[in-house]
Structures are given as C-alpha cells and as structure tokens.
Amino acid sequence: MDERTCEVHDAVGCLGTAIVATTTALVCVIGERGEIVLLNPALERATGWSTAEVAGRPFVDVLAVPHERHLAADAIARALATGDAPPQEGDWLDRWGGHRRVAMQNSVLRDARGRPRAMVCVGADVSAQRAAEALLRERAESDVLTGLRNRAALLRALEEGLACGAGATVLFCDLDGFKAANDTHGHHVGDALLRDVARRLLDATTPQDLVARYGGDEFVVLRPGADEAGASALRDRLEAALEPPHATTHGLVRLGASIGVAIGGAGAAAEELLAAADRHMYGVKTHRRRRGDRRAA
C-alpha cells in the first residue's frame, strides 16, 4: 500500500470512528464470544451503561430482555458462524430495568482472512412508533362507546378459533327493554346503560372469553372450544348478571337479555355460526313475548 493510499485509509478510519461517536443511532459491537466490545455514546446515554462497565460481559446478560435472551444468543451465534446478520427487532434493557424497542441493522466484521470476528448492531429506538401502531390497532378493534371488541375484531377472533381445530361457542345477546328505556330517558341514559351492560358482561366472563359489542344493543360473547354444558352455564351467568336494575340519572332501569347459543366445530363458517346464534336468540325473544314479558322488545 503506497503512502497516499495509507493516508486515505487512515482518514477514512478516523471518519468512521467520528461517525460512530457522534451518530444518534444506537451502536453496539459484539465480540466472537457474544461479549460486548463497544457501546457508542448514544447507546451509553440511552441505557445508562458505559463501555468501561460492560465490556467483556455477555450482550444477552446486559441488554437483552429475559424472554428474548435465548433468541438473541442464537442470532449472535448464527451471525458469527455464517457471516450473515439479517435485520432484527427486539427489546433492549437499560441499567434501571426499563426497556425500549429497537430496530437493528446488523453486519459482521471480518479479519484479514475473511473470518467473522465481531457483530455490529446499529439500532434505532422505535418504541414510540410501535406504541402508536398498537394504539391504532386497539382503536380499530374496539367499540368507542363501551371499550369492548367491535364486530371486525369478533369476526377475526372467531375465524381464528374455528380454524385452529378447537371449535368455538357463540352467545348472542340482545337486550330486552333497551329501546323503551332509550326512547323514554334519552340517549345519554341509553349510552350509560350500554356501558354498564358491557361491564357486567366482562365481570361474568373469563379472560379467555371475548366480549364484543356487535351493534346497537346486541352483544356477543365468544368462548374457545365447543363445550355445550359450559355454554349453558355461561348463558345462565350472563342472564343473572344482566337481571338486576341499572342505576341511572333517571332512577333505576330494569333490562333483561335474550341470549342465543350456537356451537361450531373445526372448519365451521364464522358468519354461519353467528347467524345460528342470532336465530336462536330471536327464538328465545319470541318465546318470552308469548309469555307476556314486556321487556322482550
């Protein structure tokens, strides 16, 4: 290498060092044993760790969150064995136990013989972006008034449940007496009643159940599996939960619920199962009307 080439090489090396030191990207160099070799200043500020404190310690013990340590260790080992380090995304810890979501562009440093010697992670903190995306997904799948899942989220969950082989149970709930209460006391009372119904349905179900507002005064409870006895017991709990009167600004309002049940095995069609539960619900409501229950409207 001639003198001019050496000068250029040294200048480029100095420039690279300056870039690593001044960039806002989070840069971590990992040695061939998976140990931390370098944290750049941006990463030191973000995590509270300094290179002097963590140099030589395993990357997975310092920055990887516990539930991702095995994945991180495997990715590092593969990169240093093959020389290929694809982009990744994961959570990185700081020294205080907090974590941030980091999108990484990775590369492998080789020695003069071309052998992998270190892995370089250049990360960007995408925590705020991922949180915003999660909020948008939550809003897209939630009913604005009650906070329950909406019809689209219900259909997606039902389709997934029927596809996985365990089957699903659908309980279709239509409120009895809601229209009269809403017309008599106004929409603000009607909205309060719907929110209270949503709360009672959630209280009467388990975390495995999905409770959704299907539309208007119709609610659906989706339970994984095809258990007829369990469905009957759940219907009884829902009816009992909705039986007590609701306290409103206009006094106590008593509602009820007509609840139809449909059970589908693996491969059943989601829309057909919902329609079957809906038909059963109308049959229950018709029977109550014939018995003279004035709320069944």
Side-chain angles (χ1 to χ4, degrees):
M1 186 181 297
D2 59 30
E3 184 177 349
R4 175 57 180 164
T5 302
C6 288
E7 291 176 356
V8 172
H9 184 273
D10 290 343
V12 170
C14 291
L15 179 61
T17 301
I19 291 173
V20 170
T22 59
T23 182
T24 58
L26 311 176
V27 181
C28 180
V29 180
I30 304 169
E32 56 187 333
R33 297 185 304 278
E35 79 281 10
I36 293 175
V37 175
L38 171 73
L39 308 181
N40 77 327
L43 186 51
E44 290 181 330
R45 290 191 297 271
T47 64
W49 294 111
S50 69
T51 296
E53 291 177 290
V54 298
R57 293 177 58 184
F59 170 89
V60 295
D61 290 348
V62 177
L63 294 180
V65 295
H67 65 275
E68 292 183 356
R69 284 177 181 170
H70 176 73
L71 295 174
D74 182 68
I76 293 169
R78 286 176 180 271
L80 293 171
T82 65
D84 181 32
Q88 292 180 324
E89 186 170 310
D91 290 330
W92 283 9
L93 288 170
D94 60 34
R95 71 181 306 154
W96 306 284
H99 63 87
R100 61 193 67 218
R101 194 71 178 173
V102 178
M104 295 163 268
Q105 293 294 325
N106 303 316
S107 60
V108 174
L109 298 179
R110 300 174 182 270
D111 62 17
R113 297 184 180 181
R115 294 175 298 187
R117 287 304 185 209
M119 177 177 171
V120 180
C121 300
V122 180
D125 187 339
V126 295
S127 302
Q129 179 183 344
R130 296 296 178 263
E133 291 169 352
L135 180 60
L136 286 175
R137 287 194 299 271
E138 176 67 19
R139 288 176 175 173
E141 295 183 348
S142 297
D143 175 62
V144 175
L145 177 64
T146 64
L148 298 178
R149 300 292 87 179
N150 60 20
R151 185 185 298 208
L154 167 69
L155 272 173
R156 183 160 45 254
L158 180 54
E159 289 168 352
E160 292 172 357
L162 293 171
C164 76
T169 299
V170 171
L171 295 93
F172 203 109
C173 310
D174 183 84
L175 299 182
D176 297 333
F178 175 79
K179 184 178 184 301
N182 191 63
D183 291 346
T184 300
H185 304 299
H187 293 302
H188 65 289
V189 169
D191 289 348
L193 288 171
L194 292 174
R195 286 192 290 266
D196 195 39
V197 166
R199 179 189 60 78
R200 294 188 187 191
L201 292 175
L202 288 173
D203 289 344
T205 53
T206 70
Q208 289 71 42
D209 300 323
L210 183 148
V211 183
R213 184 183 178 201
Y214 197 69
D217 62 346
E218 296 177 330
F219 297 82
V220 172
V221 176
L222 170 61
R223 166 160 288 187
D227 178 5
E228 186 172 345
S232 179
L234 178 57
R235 180 184 59 197
D236 291 344
R237 287 203 305 276
L238 297 179
E239 289 180 342
L242 297 177
E243 179 63 24
H246 302 260
T248 75
T249 55
H250 287 233
L252 295 178
V253 174
R254 186 177 292 277
L255 302 176
S258 298
I259 302 177
V261 181
I263 298 175
E271 293 281 6
E272 292 179 5
L273 191 60
L274 280 167
D278 188 25
R279 287 193 299 272
H280 185 208
M281 179 273 295
Y282 272 108
V284 171
K285 187 179 288 288
T286 299
H287 178 69
R288 287 184 171 181
R289 285 172 179 163
R290 288 173 179 169
R291 289 188 318 179
D293 188 337
R294 295 180 179 179
R295 289 178 297 169

